[in-house]
Amino acid sequence: MQSLLLLAAVGLAAAETGIKGWLRYAPVPSANASSLPTNIISLNASSNGPVHAAAVELQNGVAGIFNHSLNVLYPTSYQLSNTGSSIVIGTVAEYANTFGGAPKIPQLEDDGYFLNTTGSSVQILGHNERGALYGAFQYLSMLAQGNFSEVAYASNPSAPIRWVNQWDNLDGSIERGFAGPSIFWANGTVKVNSLDRVTQYGRLLASIGVNGIIINNVNANASALTPQNIEGIGRIADTFRPYGVRVGLALNFASPSANLVYGNLSTFDPLDPRVIDWWQNVTDTIYATVPDMAGYLVKANSEGQPGPLTYNRTLAQGANLFANALQPHGGTLVFRAFVYDSVHLNESVWTEDRANAAVQFFTGLDGKFAENAVVQIKYGPIDFQVREPASPLFSYLQNTSTAIELQVTQEYLGQQCHLVYLPPLWKEILDFDMRTNHTKSLVRDIVTGKRFKRPLSGYAAVVNVGTNDTWLGSHLSMSNLYGYGRMAWDPTSDPQSILEDWVRLTFGFDPTVMSTITNMSMSSWPAYENYTGNLGIQTLTDILYTHFGPNPQSQDGNPWGQWTRADGHSIGMDRTVSNGTGFSGQYPAEVAAVYENISSTPDNLLLWFHHVNYTTPLKSGETVIQHFYNAHYEGSNTAQTYPTQWSALKGKVDAQRYNETLFRLTYQAGHSLVWRDAITNFYHNLSGIADTQKRVGNHPYRIEAESMNLTNYEPYTVSPFETASNFTAIVTSANATTGTASTMLNVQSGTYDVAVNYYDLYGGKAQYSLALNNKQIGAWTGNLEDVLGHTPSIYLDGHSAARITFRNVTIAKGDVLKITGKADGVEPAPLDYISVLPLGVVD
Ligand SMILES: *[C@@H]1O[C@H](CO)[C@@H](O)[C@H](O)[C@H]1NC(C)=O
Ligand SMILES: *[C@@H]1O[C@H](CO)[C@@H](O)[C@H](O)[C@H]1NC(C)=O
Ligand SMILES: *[C@@H]1O[C@H](CO)[C@@H](O)[C@H](O)[C@H]1NC(C)=O
Ligand SMILES: *[C@@H]1O[C@H](CO)[C@@H](O)[C@H](O)[C@H]1NC(C)=O
Ligand SMILES: *[C@@H]1O[C@H](CO)[C@@H](O)[C@H](O)[C@H]1NC(C)=O
Ligand SMILES: *[C@@H]1O[C@H](CO)[C@@H](O)[C@H](O)[C@H]1NC(C)=O
Ligand SMILES: *[C@@H]1O[C@H](CO)[C@@H](O)[C@H](O)[C@H]1NC(C)=O
Ligand SMILES: *[C@@H]1O[C@H](CO)[C@@H](O)[C@H](O)[C@H]1NC(C)=O
Ligand SMILES: *[C@@H]1O[C@H](CO)[C@@H](O)[C@H](O)[C@H]1NC(C)=O
Ligand SMILES: *[C@@H]1O[C@H](CO)[C@@H](O)[C@H](O)[C@H]1NC(C)=O
Ligand SMILES: *[C@@H]1O[C@H](CO)[C@@H](O)[C@H](O)[C@H]1NC(C)=O
Ligand SMILES: *[C@@H]1O[C@H](CO)[C@@H](O)[C@H](O)[C@H]1NC(C)=O
């Protein structure tokens, strides 16, 4: 007892880096080792197989959770008399071999398992070895959550394809990576030293049922196919194999003519016999090294990538080139539906619409794809926005296997610097009913192959795991990776109960920890939608630069087709058939009718489907513009509560994870105000319509930096204008490295929070100090580019804008507040404004 208590205490105090993710196997206070079987029997002996890995995992898990060691017995050392009390793990077939008869259990499918804890022995049986491993992780998940109940059930995955897509470049960078460089690649080749992080990633993926991984960017580099890299890919595959994670590769369509050292061709025409031979040879060569390779992922004719259209071949012909090469090896070809023309879209043509592209490009191709080909469809028609309708392509392709593409990477959703728990978003899409042929046709029943009776189907999530100890750069973002695997296994799961499992596994059993993280996470997507883009207008991030901070203007006037068509009195994309782009007509009739009419379109997609006046009333009774204002204030108010809520967990979460998370939530609270002010000011400026609650443009607690007494500082006009209070910031004068801005405070004497809004660019680490009557009350460095991980900015804008707050400052009327900024590199210690806030006020 004493030792258990001691362990529990140590467990809390010890700093945790996050590297164990949800597989911490922390001591469970109520765990009683005497209730455990006395050993582990591993039926399948192959030393690199998933059953072996499962036995080792069980041993380690029990050691951590119970502080108790169990021996693993292998069939050679195994004696029937030992089965009295064992954790028996293996495939159903091996069980039948060993015990001379098949167990009487429910029907299992590929990767499915049976878990039985009702007797003195625990049975964990998989349809295949991978299934047995999943059963072991499920058993450990129960134990680690203090659930010692008796269960006997079978569980099968909803679909065979449950993959992640890493957008890792061969140079080690990661496209949309916010957590350090690649764990796979460096300097153009597979890492030569330890692949230990790959092992750990394999465990995490297996524990949530993920069975495949694409290890390079869909914007693919042909050099992935050099002999040296094929050897390296083999090492990665060997490392993942014990965890049942099969490796796949993203291909560059033009590889045959990419001047690789071998077989250079002058063409990549998918019907050219030389090209076909070339790919067959490459594929055979890879399979000689990776006999169980999952397959290929291809992005073609999209955003500058080469593809079959270059040769007037269809997308299906392009896909089948690879599918045919993979077919003899049992591999799967995944072809991305994200195809559109990013060069010629013209916003001045009212009927043009990027959202139409997928169905248009796949028109006539349904049923033309090889049996081992799968079309991977982003959940919405544009690009991972905060709110999109489900892609109509899910309904259009009825004789083609499809998979849904989700994004754990928070590309447009705060880049892991904002807490945004995504399974509720995914669930809305998965539960959407397409009403195909007037029949219930949930997206989840389509992507699991049930609705259209497809043999292959499933899920892919873009994931940006990097070398950072936290995997994703943020401890709380890991709930999205965990949730992805759980939703892919069973898309009917409840996002909140998935989250609660994750909280117990990641942070333990304290009820305040549970309620706090659950409250914050479950409110986080609605809050983020509120303070970014509302009513289906898309996220409104800067789409031309970082995809991070606000820049609504960037959506329009370019061929990327993420238009809002906002002008002085109206906003939204008219996607009706009657007067617009016709997109709503891509849905089956019943859904098309809902979206065609303003009166039946849900408010949260109004501006996705309709171009309306700012004064148009919503079903809620608010006007469009007043909803923008209200939602931005509500959403940022919600975000203000996050650091406060989290602070209550001090001492209940280990210090390192507590600190790192508090830092991010504090940043988010500040950046949500940047968002709020940018978006409300932008549309206020454009529409000229006042906020009925008089908040927008009215900031009684602010002191603009440009209105302070400046020494070696000068005003700077910020672009986009809405990302600076009063359009204006200050920067140190050209020849000066240190400037000061001071002001006399004309406030009632009392206690205040002092917030400073500044800009943190990359390319320098400016230093700031804040003083009251020349006595320093705070200091900070402009180094967010090192500690946050989002795509940084070199400008004063909505990405670099940040807020730091000094709490409980005692101020007397007439005190002089002074900020000293020391420029560094190209960072001119920029300041926007100071807010002197009575306690409880946020402005
Ligand atoms: C579970 O195991 C117990 C004993 O170990 C056995 O009696 C029972 O039949 C099993 N349950 C099922 C559903 O197979
Ligand atoms: C990559 O190359 C650089 C210099 O060429 C070297 O310093 C670095 O160690 C290499 N990284 C790896 C992971 O091999
Ligand atoms: C086949 O492909 C491998 C690499 O994938 C290459 O090393 C080999 O030279 C190729 N053979 C031919 C005949 O092109
Ligand atoms: C593709 O077709 C267009 C028009 O149909 C033609 O102008 C073009 O030359 C063709 N390109 C190729 C590579 O065959
Ligand atoms: C839907 O109806 C069309 C014709 O109206 C038919 O070709 C198609 O097979 C039907 N699809 C399903 C899944 O029933
Ligand atoms: C992880 O990322 C954070 C934030 O970018 C950084 O402060 C920290 O040093 C990184 N740690 C490791 C081990 O990479
Ligand atoms: C119909 O489309 C035109 C552009 O072609 C647009 O100016 C007009 O506002 C639209 N009408 C309605 C009722 O949406
Ligand atoms: C939208 O505003 C325009 C210009 O102010 C006006 O002409 C039009 O009648 C309005 N439309 C609706 C539906 O209110
Ligand atoms: C989002 O905004 C709506 C409308 O103002 C509000 O009802 C809701 O409570 C807000 N939700 C969050 C989580 O901020
Ligand atoms: C957490 O932050 C506090 C104050 O910022 C600091 O004193 C403490 O050392 C930090 N602890 C860890 C484990 O980083
Ligand atoms: C706003 O900025 C302008 C210059 O850009 C300046 O003249 C004016 O004083 C500023 N307003 C306030 C309230 O600081
Ligand atoms: C600026 O300095 C002058 C003289 O030092 C002082 O009178 C004035 O109040 C200061 N202005 C502000 C805004 O603090």
Side-chain angles (χ1 to χ4, degrees):
M1 197 62 206
Q2 203 183 2
S3 68
L4 244 185
L5 280 177
L6 194 67
L7 257 178
V10 168
L12 185 61
E16 294 201 39
T17 62
I19 195 140
K20 293 178 182 170
W22 53 85
L23 297 179
R24 291 158 62 245
Y25 303 134
V28 172
S30 57
N32 178 358
S34 68
S35 65
L36 282 174
T38 52
N39 57 37
I40 299 164
I41 296 175
S42 171
L43 297 177
N44 301 62
S46 70
S47 70
N48 261 329
V51 169
H52 179 81
V56 173
E57 194 74 28
L58 287 165
Q59 198 175 29
N60 290 337
V62 164
I65 296 164
F66 291 85
N67 188 27
H68 178 76
S69 81
L70 290 181
N71 286 330
V72 182
L73 308 180
Y74 296 96
T76 45
S77 63
Y78 160 72
Q79 290 159 354
L80 274 179
S81 58
N82 275 329
T83 59
S85 170
S86 302
I87 300 171
V88 179
I89 180 155
T91 58
V92 173
E94 201 56 39
Y95 185 95
N97 278 345
T98 311
F99 294 99
K104 290 194 187 57
I105 61 168
Q107 184 63 38
L108 296 181
E109 294 161 22
D110 265 357
D111 295 357
Y113 62 83
F114 174 71
L115 173 63
N116 180 2
T117 66
T118 64
S120 54
S121 280
V122 170
Q123 294 169 340
I124 306 173
L125 303 179
H127 184 258
N128 50 20
E129 288 212 29
R130 194 186 284 122
L133 176 63
Y134 294 161
F137 274 116
Q138 175 57 24
Y139 179 53
L140 283 168
S141 171
M142 283 178 65
L143 299 179
Q145 293 185 62
N147 176 355
F148 309 111
S149 62
E150 298 196 336
V151 297
Y153 66 91
S155 184
N156 290 304
S158 71
I161 296 176
R162 303 177 308 279
W163 292 7
V164 295
N165 296 176
Q166 289 271 155
W167 290 352
D168 295 27
N169 297 313
L170 308 195
D171 66 3
S173 64
I174 300 179
E175 182 161 335
R176 312 297 169 194
F178 316 121
S182 175
I183 63 171
F184 302 112
W185 304 93
N187 291 352
T189 59
V190 172
K191 286 190 172 184
V192 278
N193 21 20
S194 165
L195 289 176
D196 180 58
R197 288 298 294 270
V198 178
T199 302
Q200 301 312 320
Y201 194 20
R203 290 176 59 239
L204 288 167
L205 292 176
S207 73
I208 52 172
V210 170
N211 63 0
I213 181 169
I214 303 294
I215 54 171
N216 61 321
N217 192 353
V218 287
N219 292 319
N221 186 330
S223 322
L225 304 174
T226 63
Q228 185 191 7
N229 278 334
I230 292 174
E231 178 276 331
I233 293 161
R235 283 189 289 116
I236 294 175
D238 292 346
T239 311
F240 274 130
R241 191 167 293 110
Y243 303 100
V245 179
R246 297 200 298 166
V247 160
L249 280 185
L251 298 181
N252 184 303
F253 203 92
S255 301
S257 58
N259 265 319
L260 296 173
V261 285
Y262 52 90
N264 194 41
L265 303 178
S266 54
T267 175
F268 54 89
D269 178 354
L271 297 192
D272 187 306
R274 293 167 300 164
V275 172
I276 294 170
D277 286 351
W278 194 95
W279 280 113
Q280 191 65 57
N281 167 55
V282 167
T283 304
D284 294 347
T285 307
I286 302 175
Y287 272 92
T289 306
V290 187
D292 58 353
M293 184 173 70
Y296 294 141
L297 174 64
V298 176
K299 170 179 180 179
N301 290 115
S302 178
E303 300 181 331
Q305 291 298 316
L309 302 181
T310 312
Y311 295 94
N312 288 348
R313 310 303 188 192
T314 69
L315 297 178
Q317 287 170 325
N320 292 345
L321 165 69
F322 307 105
N324 294 339
L326 291 163
Q327 197 277 332
H329 303 285
T332 300
L333 180 274
V334 181
F335 194 82
R336 285 177 101 225
F338 185 60
V339 180
Y340 70 100
D341 182 347
S342 53
V343 179
H344 299 110
L345 280 173
N346 182 354
E347 188 170 359
S348 68
V349 181
W350 186 256
T351 51
E352 285 206 359
D353 187 0
R354 169 171 156 190
N356 282 337
V359 167
Q360 283 172 352
F361 274 97
F362 284 80
T363 296
L365 299 182
D366 188 24
K368 301 274 166 59
F369 289 85
E371 278 298 289
N372 62 328
V374 175
V375 174
Q376 179 170 308
I377 305 170
K378 289 190 183 186
Y379 62 79
I382 296 286
D383 196 14
F384 304 132
Q385 299 299 295
V386 70
R387 168 94 45 192
E388 298 192 43
S391 171
L393 196 61
F394 289 118
S395 175
Y396 183 82
L397 295 177
Q398 302 180 8
N399 302 292
T400 304
S401 294
T402 57
I404 189 170
E405 182 173 314
L406 306 171
Q407 207 183 32
V408 166
T409 295
Q410 293 172 239
E411 175 179 355
Y412 295 92
L413 302 173
Q415 303 196 346
Q416 284 123 266
C417 301
H418 290 234
L419 167 64
V420 185
Y421 179 58
L422 293 168
L425 185 168
W426 302 334
K427 180 138 181 85
E428 280 208 17
I429 299 285
L430 290 165
D431 284 352
F432 184 77
D433 188 349
M434 287 282 177
R435 304 297 303 162
T436 311
N437 290 11
H438 304 288
T439 304
K440 185 177 175 188
S441 306
L442 306 183
V443 170
R444 65 172 137 89
D445 290 336
I446 295 172
V447 301
T448 54
K450 293 182 182 68
R451 173 66 181 88
F452 302 137
K453 305 194 167 45
R454 298 302 310 168
L456 276 173
S457 58
Y459 312 78
V462 180
V463 179
N464 57 0
V465 151
T467 57
N468 196 273
D469 283 353
T470 62
W471 297 96
L472 293 176
S474 148
H475 300 290
L476 295 186
S477 291
M478 287 291 273
S479 59
N480 287 326
L481 180 56
Y482 180 82
Y484 164 66
R486 291 282 305 270
M487 296 289 292
W489 187 270
D490 178 5
T492 67
S493 309
D494 170 33
Q496 181 166 331
S497 67
I498 292 174
L499 177 72
E500 288 166 358
D501 287 351
W502 176 80
V503 172
R504 276 185 289 268
L505 294 169
T506 306
F507 291 106
F509 299 95
D510 188 290
T512 313
V513 172
M514 172 61 76
S515 62
T516 300
I517 298 178
T518 304
N519 285 342
M520 291 194 311
S521 301
M522 293 306 293
S523 70
S524 61
W525 172 46
Y528 187 80
E529 179 178 30
N530 272 353
Y531 65 72
T532 61
N534 317 125
L535 304 176
I537 197 62
Q538 307 170 94
T539 314
L540 303 179
T541 61
D542 190 329
I543 64 154
L544 302 177
Y545 189 29
T546 69
H547 297 192
F548 179 63
N551 187 354
Q553 185 74 66
S554 72
Q555 316 289 127
D556 291 284
N558 57 60
W560 293 103
Q562 293 185 222
W563 306 322
T564 69
R565 293 194 182 279
D567 62 22
H569 61 91
S570 54
I571 183 170
M573 281 291 289
D574 185 344
R575 291 187 160 115
T576 61
V577 173
S578 59
N579 188 58
T581 72
F583 170 75
S584 67
Q586 291 188 346
Y587 290 91
E590 289 179 45
V591 174
V594 168
Y595 290 148
E596 181 70 15
N597 294 300
I598 292 182
S599 60
S600 48
T601 303
D603 280 351
N604 62 23
L605 286 171
L606 179 68
L607 303 181
W608 183 280
F609 284 103
H610 301 282
H611 185 83
V612 303
N613 286 347
Y614 292 112
T615 51
T616 299
L618 302 173
K619 292 173 187 63
S620 69
E622 296 167 302
T623 61
V624 165
I625 189 74
Q626 192 58 40
H627 178 87
F628 269 43
Y629 298 153
N630 292 348
H632 279 82
Y633 276 82
E634 297 270 359
S636 57
N637 280 345
T638 302
Q640 302 316 303
T641 70
Y642 292 167
T644 321
Q645 290 191 58
W646 184 261
S647 297
L649 306 188
K650 194 175 176 79
K652 297 174 186 290
V653 167
D654 60 280
Q656 182 170 348
R657 292 188 300 167
Y658 172 83
N659 270 13
E660 290 172 356
T661 302
L662 181 60
F663 182 80
R664 273 171 196 266
L665 294 173
T666 303
Y667 171 80
Q668 177 177 7
H671 200 233
S672 76
L673 298 174
V674 171
W675 267 102
R676 179 196 76 184
D677 293 344
I679 301 299
T680 55
N681 282 326
F682 180 82
Y683 290 105
H684 179 239
N685 182 277
L686 194 58
S687 69
I689 300 172
D691 169 22
T692 59
Q693 296 193 42
K694 301 191 168 55
R695 296 157 300 191
V696 177
N698 180 18
H699 303 287
Y701 304 98
R702 278 186 197 178
I703 301 161
E704 296 294 339
E706 61 273 20
S707 70
M708 294 169 75
N709 279 345
L710 304 182
T711 310
N712 290 336
Y713 256 123
E714 58 193 36
Y716 180 92
T717 304
V718 172
S719 173
F721 71 85
E722 69 275 12
T723 59
S725 193
N726 188 40
F727 316 163
T728 314
I730 60 170
V731 294
T732 47
S733 320
N735 296 324
T737 58
T738 298
T740 61
S742 63
T743 188
M744 186 182 285
L745 297 178
N746 187 21
V747 297
Q748 282 191 341
S749 301
T751 305
Y752 295 84
D753 290 339
V754 178
V756 181
N757 275 57
Y758 66 109
Y759 298 86
D760 198 330
L761 329 181
Y762 75 89
K765 295 184 207 326
Q767 288 179 355
Y768 300 87
S769 106
L770 177 70
L772 202 57
N773 294 340
N774 283 323
K775 181 165 173 283
Q776 181 174 301
I777 54 174
W780 73 101
T781 303
N783 65 347
L784 291 179
E785 67 273 28
D786 291 344
V787 291
L788 283 176
H790 69 73
T791 309
S793 171
I794 197 79
Y795 307 111
L796 280 68
D797 57 21
H799 323 299
S800 58
R803 163 178 284 217
I804 187 164
T805 305
F806 300 93
R807 303 217 173 259
N808 296 315
V809 181
T810 306
I811 298 176
K813 186 173 175 129
D815 281 356
V816 174
L817 188 90
K818 181 167 86 177
I819 299 189
T820 305
K822 185 164 182 254
D824 181 60
V826 301
E827 188 170 69
L831 292 166
D832 186 4
Y833 66 91
I834 295 165
S835 283
V836 179
L837 301 164
L839 298 189
V841 171
V842 175
D843 184 29

